[in-house]
Amino acid sequence: KQEVTQIPAALSVPEGENLVLNCSFTDSAIYNLQWFRQDPGKGLTSLLLIQSSQREQTSGRLNASLDKSSGRSTLYIAASQPGDSATYLCAVRRDNYGQNFVFGPGTRLSVLP
Amino acid sequence: DTEVTQTPKHLVMGMTNKKSLKCEQHMGHRAMYWYKQKAKKPPELMFVYSYEKLSINESVPSRFSPECPNSSLLNLHLHALQPEDSALYLCASTRGGLKEKLFFGSGTQLSVL
């Protein structure tokens, strides 16, 4: 059974810092991994999608990497801003159950002005 | 149009009521999902429709009844719910291929009294 964990569970940083969020998964048989952002009481916004054959994806100040063999992904946020405060979730698409995505519990990020 | 639209945004219902949640997308996506999310927890998959046919039912109680009238519309019919069913209900969609991005709506916050 695929299990996804995220470390840390919560993170508080001053504005301007670079930071790394971690996502680990137990079964390397995945199609892809997606990072999402969620504001309280709202839906999930897709940030980056990395296919299993890719090593990284970049969008603006965000960079996500994937090491499928070791079951790890990181989300790097450069020059953090208070508007980045949210919960960040990763989700893997399972190789043997294609329609399903398995979500991690999320990292709650607070960026202090 | 890159949106998944959910209505209503908020819903309060009694345990004897019947209500429906609605989800609509006009991106030509052929897979549509219902997720349930409790506070500070990741989304939990409930149902998946693929090409308008129910492909996954994650052992959801029969008081939740999904319906996919056409390729753009997904409903979730609610009847005789319990207070523990109070949660954020999220609709999502993908194009249908295994490498595609998952798009979420903004959710319906449901309270069962």
Side-chain angles (χ1 to χ4, degrees):
Chain A
K1 179 187 172 187
Q2 177 75 274
E3 293 185 0
V4 181
T5 55
Q6 291 186 244
I7 294 173
L11 181 63
S12 185
V13 300
E15 182 177 4
E17 275 205 4
N18 302 324
L19 56 99
V20 175
L21 308 181
N22 297 289
C23 171
S24 297
F25 47 95
T26 54
D27 186 347
S28 62
I30 64 170
Y31 278 111
N32 53 47
L33 183 146
Q34 198 166 346
W35 282 94
F36 295 89
R37 168 195 172 127
Q38 186 174 30
D39 294 299
K42 303 292 186 183
L44 282 71
T45 300
S46 179
L47 298 174
L48 289 164
L49 171 68
I50 311 178
Q51 303 297 342
S52 61
S53 59
Q54 297 175 322
R55 297 285 294 185
E56 65 179 273
Q57 284 286 328
T58 298
S59 177
R61 294 182 294 109
L62 305 179
N63 176 277
S65 67
L66 175 64
D67 184 343
K68 186 179 157 185
S69 60
S70 67
R72 293 181 187 172
S73 176
T74 61
L75 179 66
Y76 175 83
I77 303 177
S80 58
Q81 304 170 357
D84 295 330
S85 298
T87 296
Y88 291 80
L89 299 100
C90 64
V92 297
R93 187 159 204 176
R94 296 165 61 180
D95 198 2
N96 60 350
Y97 197 31
Q99 295 285 9
N100 197 4
F101 296 80
V102 181
F103 283 82
T107 294
R108 291 191 305 282
L109 173 65
S110 295
V111 181
L112 307 174
Chain B
D1 186 355
T2 57
E3 281 193 351
V4 177
T5 304
Q6 288 188 245
T7 54
K9 294 196 182 306
H10 302 275
L11 180 62
V12 179
M13 60 186 291
M15 289 189 285
T16 59
N17 292 158
K18 285 185 181 180
K19 296 286 185 183
S20 296
L21 310 184
K22 180 179 172 182
C23 174
E24 199 162 6
Q25 56 84 16
H26 296 287
M27 296 180 279
H29 288 184
R30 303 313 299 266
M32 297 185 76
Y33 302 70
W34 280 116
Y35 284 88
K36 173 183 176 180
Q37 187 180 28
K38 298 283 248 183
K40 299 188 178 181
K41 297 290 186 183
E44 297 176 8
L45 182 67
M46 300 175 72
F47 303 104
V48 181
Y49 272 83
S50 179
Y51 292 83
E52 301 163 49
K53 292 190 186 325
L54 183 64
S55 62
I56 297 177
N57 176 341
E58 290 287 295
S59 303
V60 178
S62 60
R63 57 186 185 268
F64 296 91
S65 175
E67 178 195 20
C68 188
N70 59 57
S71 60
S72 299
L73 191 56
L74 185 66
N75 298 320
L76 186 63
H77 302 298
L78 314 173
H79 173 56
L81 294 193
Q82 304 297 311
E84 59 265 29
D85 297 322
S86 298
L88 181 67
Y89 288 84
L90 294 162
C91 175
S93 68
T94 73
R95 296 176 100 172
L98 293 172
K99 295 186 176 182
E100 302 297 334
K101 185 182 294 188
L102 187 63
F103 290 82
F104 277 90
S106 57
T108 294
Q109 188 66 57
L110 174 67
S111 296
V112 182
L113 304 179

